[in-house]
Each structure stands twice: as structure tokens, then as C-alpha cells.
Amino acid sequence: DDMKIAFLYGWWSCGDKSFDFSRLYEDPQGLTGSELSCFEYARSMAARGHEVSIYAIIRGVPDRYRWHGCTIRPIDDLPADQ
């Protein structure tokens, strides 16, 4: 069965670093191993047919931008009770 999965990568993980998912791999700031692992795992789950959202500090893309089957959301949109 397909699942709804949310990946969280906020200030507690990366400080004030932001991510431009329209050029994630070409961005000169690069990615750490932790960032790469999180985003690639999310991408893999979406490729398997799951409904995946990534909540992160984003820049350069609109809310609900689609990246490799994942919906990109600002970390501030994460419901407080989650």
C-alpha cells in the first residue's frame, strides 16, 4: 500500500542553510552527506509510488514545487502538532 511520508530537514539539521530544489545538485553551496541522504531517500520513496513531502528551508522555488515526485514545502508550514 502507498503511504504518505514527510521528510523534515529544518534549522535543527542545517542551521540557516536553505535549499533551491530547482538546482539542488548544481548549487555552489553543495550538499552534505546527511542532506544528500535525506533528499535521495525521499526521492526513492516517491519513485516507489508513495506520496512524499519534504519540509525544508527553501529558496528559489514556489511552495509545493515538485522535485522527482516529491512535494517541497517550507519547514514553517509543518503543522505544530506534528
Side-chain angles (χ1 to χ4, degrees), residues 9-22:
Y9 214 89
W11 54 267
W12 59 89
S13 302
C14 61
D16 61 357
K17 184 176 181 180
S18 61
F19 302 95
D20 180 350
F21 281 84
S22 69

Side-chain angles (χ1 to χ4, degrees), residues 5-6 8 20-21 28 30 38 43 47 51 61-62 64-65 76-77:
I5 305 171
L8 314 178
D20 180 350
F21 281 84
C38 178
R43 185 168 118 162
E51 185 179 328
V61 295
R64 298 185 189 272
Y65 180 78
D76 293 337
D77 284 358

Side-chain angles (χ1 to χ4, degrees), residues 19-78:
F19 302 95
D20 180 350
F21 281 84
S22 69
R23 54 185 218 122
L24 192 62
Y25 300 112
E26 295 83 27
D27 195 320
Q29 76 177 350
L31 293 170
T32 67
S34 297
E35 294 159 357
L36 185 61
S37 294
C38 178
F39 301 148
E40 285 299 314
Y41 190 53
R43 185 168 118 162
S44 295
M45 292 294 100
R48 292 175 182 231
H50 301 296
E51 185 179 328
V52 177
S53 296
I54 300 173
Y55 289 84
I57 302 169
I58 60 174
R59 63 180 159 77
V61 295
D63 184 18
R64 298 185 189 272
Y65 180 78
R66 298 289 294 170
W67 178 78
H68 296 281
C70 302
T71 302
I72 306 302
R73 304 290 311 273
I75 194 70
D76 293 337
D77 284 358
L78 186 65

